[in-house]
Amino acid sequence: MPFLRLDMDCAIPMLPYGNRFRKCRKWVQDSFSNVALLTYRVKQRRETNVLLKGVLARPEALASHIARFTQALIMDIAYGHQVTTDDDKYIEMGEKGNHAFATAGSAGSMLVDFFPILKHYPTWLPGSAFKIRAINAAKLLRTMHDVPYNEIKYQLKHGNPQLSFTSTLLDSYFHDGKFGTLTEQDEKDIKGSARTLYSAGTETMASSMNTFVLAMLLYPNVYRKAQEEMDRVLGLSRLPELEDRESLPYLNAVIKETYRWLPPLPMTLPHMSSQDDVYNGYRIPKQTLVIGNAWGMARDENMYPDPESFCPERFLDLTNEDIADPRLYVFGFGRRLCPGNDFADSCIYMVLANIIATMNINKTR
Ligand code: HEM
């Protein structure tokens, strides 16, 4: 991403393959290992309860409750910061950064990505709005990089910060010496990786949760079946937990269909070929921008007949062994595959299962 790379080269998806990428990728993968996922369960339960209480009190603000769930959870994991108020300053920073990034243009969406010479275009000339937007976005992102990081660094020196992605990494440098001496580049990479967790994880998860609600409004029979399964399996005396997932096949089919029906990143994220290649008779020269079309895959009529319909039953049809689980493509591909995929999937399960167990979804009129 030639232009924005100037200020955002610490975001993991922007890093070219190499040592820095491998280092940051490993940090993130370790923070979503199976052991780490177990430690996040308490946080997932806590934030699910906050979401349920919020929706009961103000159902009309459902989308905000969903957004808050994803933001609060990732703030906690990335920075050990627990959100307790509606005007949380970390969330405000994170959202401003996300918004700025989205409006500045994502990778491959701007002319400058294809014509790098445009990055030298002067800001005083007409048509330079793209550059001014990118400069402003970079400023907001830098705030998001620096403020939480500096607070944790201060706490590490003067007290005990909450356990988090950032504090664990800093601690490994300061106390265990596990990673050697902390260089300026390492600091940039820790900040960038923590911020990537926030920008990569919040809106994507919220998108799937909102898609589910939309689908349930349009397909009330599906919701009824999911509720019947929930009541049959769990009874009415407790809320669903992650351990219940295997006993809820219909809900699992609903989750798969939610990903397939509206993938949160329909064009995933652009990759660049690292060497010349040939695919299906097409020559792909080195350094070609390659875009994985999750939307196209999700609408493959041979795989998913009547693809526009929301039909979880397609995943329960045991005679169709070839039907692909959409999680094989909505989370991306190869060594760039989303490292938060299992965590995201478990959060989406928790929210959907708990809404199904406790609430009805109806149109207001
Ligand atoms: C439904 C939720 C999510 C979806 C659909 C999703 C999807 C994706 C996709 C398509 C990519 C690009 C993969 C590629 O380049 O092939 C990606 C990358 C990434 N995702 Fe997710 N994601 C979700 C949630 C999360 C969460 C919760 C986190 C962490 C908190 C996360 C962290 C990342 C990171 C760090 C990358 C960059 C990986 C790299 O470039 O090596 N994602 N995600």
Side-chain angles (χ1 to χ4, degrees):
M1 199 182 177
F3 176 66
L4 290 178
R5 198 188 300 151
L6 286 176
D7 281 295
M8 304 197 323
D9 61 353
C10 322
I12 297 174
M14 311 291 166
L15 288 178
Y17 188 68
N19 287 342
R20 275 185 69 208
F21 167 75
R22 280 198 296 271
K23 175 182 71 173
C24 298
R25 174 85 201 187
K26 181 167 180 345
W27 288 343
V28 171
Q29 270 178 204
D30 287 352
S31 71
F32 290 106
S33 66
N34 287 340
V35 176
L37 291 186
L38 284 177
T39 66
Y40 298 152
R41 287 187 171 203
V42 177
K43 302 179 197 295
Q44 287 173 304
R45 178 75 263 167
R46 183 192 68 218
E47 292 307 329
T48 305
N49 290 351
V50 173
L51 178 131
L52 293 179
K53 273 176 76 177
V55 179
L56 279 176
R58 283 197 311 134
E60 71 284 3
L62 178 65
S64 312
H65 300 303
I66 286 177
R68 186 203 183 280
F69 171 92
T70 63
Q71 293 157 354
L73 204 46
I74 296 187
M75 277 298 172
D76 193 350
I77 289 171
Y79 304 111
H81 171 74
Q82 208 166 314
V83 175
T84 50
T85 59
D86 288 341
D87 58 349
D88 185 87
K89 71 171 179 169
Y90 275 39
I91 299 276
E92 194 188 326
M93 254 184 303
E95 286 314 288
K96 278 189 179 160
N98 272 1
H99 179 72
F101 183 46
T103 48
S106 56
S109 70
M110 295 167 82
L111 214 51
V112 67
D113 293 333
F114 300 95
F115 301 104
I117 189 75
L118 287 177
K119 72 184 174 194
H120 303 296
Y121 194 79
T123 46
W124 47 268
L125 276 183
S128 63
F130 76 95
K131 188 166 181 177
I132 294 169
R133 272 203 307 274
I135 291 169
N136 289 338
K139 272 189 207 150
L140 288 166
L141 287 169
R142 220 170 297 125
T143 310
M144 176 71 187
H145 275 201
D146 291 342
V147 173
Y149 178 86
N150 291 339
E151 276 184 29
I152 294 173
K153 204 170 160 188
Y154 178 86
Q155 287 165 10
L156 260 174
K157 286 192 177 149
H158 298 97
N160 256 342
Q162 290 295 319
L163 205 63
S164 68
F165 174 81
T166 306
S167 73
T168 306
L169 283 176
L170 276 176
D171 205 39
S172 306
Y173 277 101
F174 289 158
H175 296 124
D176 318 351
K178 191 168 133 197
F179 297 137
T181 317
L182 184 71
T183 63
E184 207 177 306
Q185 186 63 61
D186 292 327
E187 292 210 273
K188 272 190 176 179
D189 290 340
I190 296 175
K191 292 177 192 178
S193 301
R195 206 261 305 154
T196 303
L197 296 186
Y198 188 83
S199 44
T202 48
E203 289 180 10
T204 44
M205 285 201 288
S207 163
S208 286
M209 294 167 190
N210 285 316
T211 294
F212 162 77
V213 176
L214 173 67
M216 296 308 104
L217 281 173
L218 296 173
Y219 296 85
N221 281 343
V222 171
Y223 198 63
R224 210 165 302 125
K225 278 192 194 175
Q227 285 189 314
E228 276 164 17
E229 177 186 70
M230 187 64 73
D231 294 349
R232 192 173 63 250
V233 174
L234 261 78
L236 300 173
S237 58
R238 69 176 179 90
L239 291 173
E241 299 293 344
L242 283 162
E243 292 78 9
D244 298 310
R245 187 163 182 176
E246 276 185 22
S247 326
L248 299 163
Y250 192 74
L251 172 56
N252 280 306
V254 170
I255 294 173
K256 285 185 193 167
E257 185 66 342
T258 302
Y259 290 129
R260 188 203 65 80
W261 197 53
L262 290 180
L265 290 175
M267 293 291 160
T268 60
L269 289 183
H271 290 199
M272 188 165 297
S273 55
S274 54
Q275 56 190 52
D276 292 348
D277 200 359
V278 176
Y279 179 74
N280 273 354
Y282 291 95
R283 192 174 73 83
I284 303 173
K286 186 177 173 176
Q287 296 200 322
T288 301
L289 202 62
V290 179
I291 297 179
N293 185 352
W295 181 266
M297 295 175 202
R299 295 229 158 358
D300 176 351
E301 291 193 12
N302 296 321
M303 182 78 70
Y304 311 112
D306 189 13
E308 292 304 326
S309 292
F310 189 95
C311 175
E313 283 73 13
R314 68 174 90 242
F315 293 106
L316 297 172
D317 178 2
L318 296 179
T319 57
N320 188 353
E321 287 176 4
D322 290 333
I323 190 154
D325 182 338
R327 286 173 293 197
L328 293 174
Y329 51 82
V330 297
F331 289 105
F333 312 95
R335 62 184 166 212
R336 296 277 177 166
L337 177 77
C338 173
N341 59 353
D342 287 338
F343 174 68
D345 192 48
S346 65
C347 289
I348 290 164
Y349 160 81
M350 272 301 271
V351 167
L352 270 50
N354 280 274
I355 289 181
I356 289 168
T358 54
M359 295 175 198
N360 292 325
I361 298 180
N362 297 310
K363 292 181 187 166
T364 47
R365 60 193 158 93

